[in-house]
Amino acid sequence: MARTPESAAVDFAESSLFTGRFSILALAACGVGFSLSGRLPAAIFSLAAAAVAAAARLWARHVLDGVNAALQAERSCVFPGEPCPLRVTLDNPKWLPLVWLTVRFPLEPGGALRPEHRWETVELPEGGVQKPYYEKNVSFLLGHQRMSYTSRLQAEHRGLLSFDRIRLLSGDGLCLCVREKEIPLPRPVTLAVFPRLVPVSTRWFLRNSWELETGARGFQDDRTVIRNVRAYQPGDNARSLNFRLMARGQGAMVNIYEKISPRRAAFLLDGASFAGLPPEDFESALEIWAPWRRS
C-alpha cells in the first residue's frame, strides 16, 4: 500500500515478524516463564531475543529523526548521450549513527534519464503501478556528520524529470527493522533532456537560391543595393546596364550589386501530420529540427 508523506515521517516498516510488538511480548513472557520453571538457558535465550528485537525496533523508530537531505543538479538541461551529475548531501545532526542508509528518488517512467549503473534502478509499487526509482546504498553516516556524494544519470532521449521529495530508508545494524521517511527538498529538482542534435547540411536546401543568377558559386546579387559601376564588358548581363548614366552620355556602364550569401534554412514542423504515425517518426523530425532552433 502506498504510504502518505505524513505517515512515512512517523511510521516504519517491520521487516520481519521477529520485531513485532506481540513477538517481543511473547518472547519476554516465555523468558519469565522459563525462569520461574528453572529452565535458565531457555530463559536467557528468550529474554536476549526479546531485548534484541526491542532494541532493533527502538533504533529503527528514531534512526531517521532529524536527518536532512538535499539534492542539487549541476546541469538542468542536457542532450541525449550527455551525463547529468547530481550532488546528494546527507546530514545527521543527532548522536545516533546510521549503520546503513538507502537513498531513493523517482525517475521518469519513459527512461529519458537512467542511472549510470543498472543495479541503481529499482521498480517500486505506487498507486497500483510499478514506477522506476534511483537507489543508492550509503554506509556509516555517523552522529553529527554531513556527507556528500555525486550520482550520475545518463540522458537517453527527450524527456522531463521533476520531483520535490527524496526517500530515505534506514534501520538497526542487523537490518531487523526498517524505517522509511520522505524528506521535502529545499529546492525542487527539474531536469530536461532536449532532442538529440543531428547535423544537417544546408546546401541541399539552399541550392535553388544559390543558382538563381550566378550558377553554383554560392551567392547572388542583391539588386536593391548598388555597390559600384564599371564600364561594360562583353558577356555582362544586359539587365545590369545603368540606363541613367547612358542617358547622360557617360557610355555603357553596368551596375555592381552587393553580393549576398544565404546560409540558413527555415523549417516548419506540422505536429498534426504525425498523428497516427509511430512516435519514432516524430522524434526523428525533432532531432533534425532541434539544431536549427538552437542556432
Side-chain angles (χ1 to χ4, degrees):
M1 183 178 64
R3 199 184 296 266
T4 62
E6 292 77 9
S7 62
V10 298
D11 196 8
F12 60 96
E14 297 172 359
S15 58
S16 66
L17 184 63
F18 178 68
T19 56
R21 294 188 181 92
F22 295 103
S23 299
I24 296 174
L25 293 176
L27 288 173
C30 290
V32 173
F34 289 143
S35 177
L36 295 177
S37 61
R39 301 178 180 181
L40 187 59
I44 294 176
F45 175 81
S46 298
L47 293 176
V52 170
R57 184 181 178 89
L58 184 63
W59 191 335
R61 178 177 291 277
H62 298 285
V63 68
L64 290 177
D65 290 349
V67 177
N68 296 318
L71 192 148
Q72 183 179 5
E74 297 182 8
R75 301 177 59 189
S76 59
C77 301
V78 295
F79 289 89
E82 296 180 349
C84 181
L86 297 176
R87 190 70 174 174
V88 181
T89 303
L90 303 170
D91 184 20
N92 181 23
K94 62 182 185 304
W95 64 268
L96 183 64
L98 280 69
V99 180
W100 63 272
L101 177 66
T102 300
V103 179
R104 290 175 179 172
F105 57 81
L107 297 174
E108 197 267 335
L113 287 163
R114 297 180 181 273
E116 187 177 14
H117 305 289
R118 293 184 177 180
W119 59 81
E120 294 178 341
T121 303
V122 295
E123 297 285 339
L124 300 177
E126 185 175 331
V129 297
Q130 296 287 333
K131 291 188 176 182
Y133 274 80
Y134 167 87
E135 181 178 279
K136 177 72 173 181
N137 294 321
V138 182
S139 299
F140 295 105
L141 182 59
L142 302 179
H144 300 284
Q145 181 186 11
R146 174 179 293 181
M147 66 174 298
S148 298
Y149 70 92
T150 300
S151 298
R152 296 187 180 275
L153 300 180
Q154 189 73 18
E156 298 291 337
H157 57 78
R158 181 176 63 93
L160 182 67
L161 174 62
S162 180
F163 57 93
D164 60 354
R165 294 176 180 271
I166 190 171
R167 289 187 181 183
L168 299 181
L169 284 84
S170 187
D172 61 285
L174 299 177
C175 297
L176 299 177
C177 200
V178 179
R179 167 90 180 271
E180 179 182 355
K181 181 179 180 181
E182 284 191 349
I183 299 179
L185 296 175
R187 293 183 179 179
V189 176
T190 301
L191 306 174
V193 182
F194 292 147
R196 190 183 309 273
L197 299 181
V198 177
V200 179
S201 176
T202 60
R203 61 191 183 96
W204 302 107
F205 299 97
L206 303 177
R207 171 170 292 183
N208 293 334
S209 177
W210 288 351
E211 297 178 352
L212 285 178
E213 297 186 5
T214 58
R217 298 179 183 176
F219 56 86
Q220 62 181 354
D221 293 334
D222 185 1
R223 294 188 173 274
T224 63
V225 181
I226 300 177
R227 186 177 60 182
N228 202 350
V229 293
R230 61 172 174 81
Y232 175 83
Q233 297 177 1
D236 286 341
N237 192 343
R239 290 182 296 179
S240 300
L241 289 171
N242 193 320
F243 295 100
R244 291 185 178 181
L245 297 179
M246 293 175 61
R248 296 175 182 176
Q250 297 183 11
M253 305 294 290
V254 295
N255 298 324
I256 300 177
Y257 299 103
E258 188 71 30
K259 303 295 183 181
I260 61 173
S261 177
R263 297 182 180 273
R264 293 188 178 184
F267 289 85
L268 297 178
L269 183 62
D270 184 9
S273 62
F274 291 89
L277 298 177
E280 293 78 9
D281 294 345
F282 183 68
E283 293 294 333
S284 299
L286 287 177
E287 291 174 356
I288 297 176
W289 181 66
W292 305 100
R293 290 293 297 171
R294 192 185 186 190
S295 62

